[in-house]
Amino acid sequence: MQSMVYLKDVVTLAHRPEICNGCGICLVVCPRRVFERSDGKINVAKRDACIECGACQRNCPQMAVTVRAGVGCASAIINQMLGRKKACCPSAY
Amino acid sequence: MRPPRLDQPFVTGTIETAAGSVPKVSNVFSRADRIGAFKVRWGIGRMKYRVDAGLYAMGEPTAESPVFVTANYKLTFDLLRRAIASIDGWILVLDTLGINVWCAAGKGTFGTDELVERIESSRLDDLLSHRKLILPQLAAPGVAGHEVKKRSGFQVIYGPVRAEDIPEFLGKGLKAEERMRTKDFGFKERLALVPMEVVPAVRLALLAAAGLFVLSLLFSGFSISKALGWFAISATAIVTSVLAGAVFTPLLLPWLPGRAFSIKGFVMGLLFAFLVVPFVYISSIPGTAVLLISIPAMAAYLAMNFTGSSTFTSLSGVRKEMRFALPLEIGGTGIGLLLWIIALLGR
């Protein structure tokens, strides 16, 4: 089925090609296939598909990818606003 | 750290290894497992649905057998157990406080520190002749593979997103196809998540309904029959919103217009509102307006809450959505309530 995409032009993902060594771990860990390799170089191909999970940033040995990682969960944000600690987890997975 | 208890229902015995005795797990997904899975999907005992962290054996593993790392949420553990039922391997369960892989990785409990400590406490060094661990790809937000290697000597290999693809992943020499690397969000998965949306929504709805019924009683001078008549409008609004926002919006998600979940829920709510209006006997225009305004607003709110269950929203996106949607949702519900009271007083 088609891949669903959320809001446009909001994500905080940044890739710095000048310090990237092209190891490709970001291609492996990204569950949204945001990165691609063309002519041996990694670049961000599908920016709006990014969900800011932070997998690429956490696993990049060069720290060439940065993103303000978090969970896109309205009820967690509401709980936070209300000062409740309860987090958001669809534990059906 | 204590080794896993042997009296857990899925443990069938132990096997002796160079790293001590290791509990063996059943490769049968039993009736009890099925009932447990059903219950937690409806939110019953979810936070207690755990297995002990530590090392387990599946089949007859040896020092060369693969190691699969997972979370200690039993639903997750069972998914893995079923996927590798016919494979001889080791299962290393991390203590993720009973949370699934993806959420625990986001929180950092399925993380580098926990993994490194668990490798040591389970004595994988003594147990294995190789130095490779297979992790679910969705653990990557919490685990830094290169750091694990540095600190423990073990190489992290990210396996497929879904446990069911593990046999194919092993068969292809630890290579995952593109298909195995993406997280989709199909109809069946959304259907499985609907109970999770409905249960809290109904809890909230019952509270609101109780309050509104008391209000109806007060305004009717404690005539039950009159109160019930008035209460019917607000009850209709609540039930319809839950159906539209927490059931049908998740199910029909890809086909609803808009990108923001609130917009999808609003559209669904509006549609439902127009559908129910002809069936409710309302003598006043404000009464009709109650339904047409409050249902889309409440449905939008409930739909917005599905962002956390979905697999394609970002924190920045949800924040942006909430900035415009939350005031409208609260406002719409408030106006609905106000009109309802006006309609009551006007009788």
Side-chain angles (χ1 to χ4, degrees):
Chain A
M1 71 168 280
Q2 85 279 30
S3 175
M4 285 173 263
V5 176
Y6 194 45
L7 309 187
K8 274 186 194 166
D9 302 325
V10 286
V11 295
T12 52
L13 178 72
H15 173 245
R16 294 198 291 169
E18 69 277 12
I19 52 174
C20 174
N21 68 358
C23 76
I25 188 69
C26 51
L27 293 171
V28 172
V29 297
C30 177
R32 300 281 295 162
R33 311 284 86 190
V34 167
F35 301 91
E36 67 168 21
R37 191 195 293 276
S38 63
D39 300 332
K41 292 221 162 55
I42 306 285
N43 58 55
V44 175
K46 291 192 287 179
R47 194 182 172 71
D48 288 336
C50 173
I51 56 174
E52 302 183 321
C53 71
C56 50
Q57 168 176 260
R58 174 82 69 190
N59 281 277
C60 177
Q62 300 296 311
M63 291 187 276
V65 203
T66 54
V67 62
R68 210 157 59 223
V71 184
C73 174
S75 46
I77 297 173
I78 292 170
N79 280 331
Q80 209 178 13
M81 289 193 307
L82 296 175
R84 280 188 247 159
K85 257 195 90 181
K86 216 175 138 230
C88 168
C89 256
S91 302
Y93 294 125
Chain B
M1 280 179 263
R2 280 186 307 135
R5 283 171 299 157
L6 299 178
D7 60 354
Q8 300 177 90
F10 51 85
V11 174
T12 56
T14 57
I15 64 170
E16 294 310 316
T17 73
S21 82
V22 175
K24 214 177 136 167
V25 299
S26 163
N27 62 357
V28 178
F29 187 62
S30 71
R31 204 179 129 81
D33 297 329
R34 227 177 291 269
I35 293 170
F38 179 81
K39 273 168 45 182
V40 291
R41 279 182 202 281
W42 289 92
I44 304 166
R46 197 189 308 167
M47 296 320 290
K48 288 188 194 136
Y49 205 53
R50 302 178 182 194
V51 303
D52 286 356
L55 186 69
Y56 296 86
M58 169 65 86
E60 302 292 339
T62 65
E64 282 90 52
S65 299
V67 183
F68 305 96
V69 183
T70 191
N72 78 331
Y73 183 40
K74 177 134 190 304
L75 208 55
T76 306
F77 179 75
D78 281 350
L79 274 176
L80 175 64
R81 205 154 57 86
R82 290 166 81 179
I84 62 167
S86 55
I87 293 169
D88 297 319
W90 306 100
I91 302 177
L92 185 66
V93 177
L94 303 190
D95 183 6
T96 59
L97 310 173
I99 306 282
N100 67 70
V101 171
W102 174 248
C103 290
K107 287 187 175 69
T109 45
F110 197 125
T112 307
D113 290 345
E114 165 65 15
L115 178 57
V116 169
E117 280 165 31
R118 202 58 65 178
I119 291 169
E120 280 168 23
S121 68
S122 305
R123 298 174 56 198
L124 293 194
D125 261 333
D126 302 328
L127 178 76
L128 303 166
S129 58
H130 65 81
R131 290 291 176 267
K132 283 178 187 163
L133 303 173
I134 299 171
L135 268 69
Q137 187 192 325
L138 293 186
V143 177
H146 54 286
E147 268 183 49
V148 173
K149 172 90 189 178
K150 227 181 281 169
R151 287 170 54 184
S152 70
F154 277 84
Q155 183 194 353
V156 166
I157 297 169
Y158 288 108
V161 164
R162 283 166 298 272
E164 64 191 57
D165 290 328
I166 289 174
E168 200 183 332
F169 177 76
L170 292 178
K172 292 199 166 130
L174 307 184
K175 290 270 178 303
E177 286 173 26
E178 279 294 286
R179 172 184 66 76
M180 297 186 204
R181 291 247 170 259
T182 45
K183 182 75 201 86
D184 56 9
F185 197 43
F187 185 82
K188 264 169 82 181
E189 189 175 347
R190 297 199 302 278
L191 184 66
L193 287 167
V194 161
M196 298 275 175
E197 298 305 309
V198 171
V199 171
V202 166
R203 210 172 285 154
L204 197 67
L206 285 177
L207 264 175
L212 291 167
F213 185 68
V214 170
L215 270 182
S216 311
L217 266 181
L218 289 177
F219 282 120
S220 67
F222 296 95
S223 149
I224 300 266
S225 62
K226 262 193 197 167
L228 277 177
W230 292 349
F231 175 64
I233 297 176
S234 47
T236 304
I238 289 172
V239 171
T240 311
S241 316
V242 172
L243 275 178
V247 179
F248 281 88
T249 305
L251 290 181
L252 303 178
L253 203 64
W255 303 287
L256 292 171
R259 282 174 180 248
F261 283 38
S262 329
I263 293 177
K264 292 172 184 286
F266 175 83
V267 170
M268 204 71 212
L270 203 60
L271 197 74
F272 268 67
F274 277 111
L275 283 175
V276 295
V277 160
F279 294 97
V280 186
Y281 173 73
I282 305 165
S283 51
S284 64
I285 294 168
T288 310
V290 167
L291 296 180
L292 291 180
I293 293 171
S294 67
I295 293 173
M298 293 192 283
Y301 175 82
L302 292 170
M304 190 179 78
N305 275 330
F306 193 61
T307 49
S309 293
S310 81
T311 58
F312 61 98
T313 56
S314 61
L315 178 60
S316 301
V318 173
R319 282 215 178 106
K320 184 180 178 186
E321 164 164 359
M322 287 178 73
R323 269 199 294 276
F324 77 82
L326 196 57
L328 292 174
E329 288 156 6
I330 294 173
T333 310
I335 290 170
L337 182 66
L338 212 68
L339 284 173
W340 180 70
I341 293 173
I342 289 169
L344 288 193
L345 295 176
R347 294 217 182 183

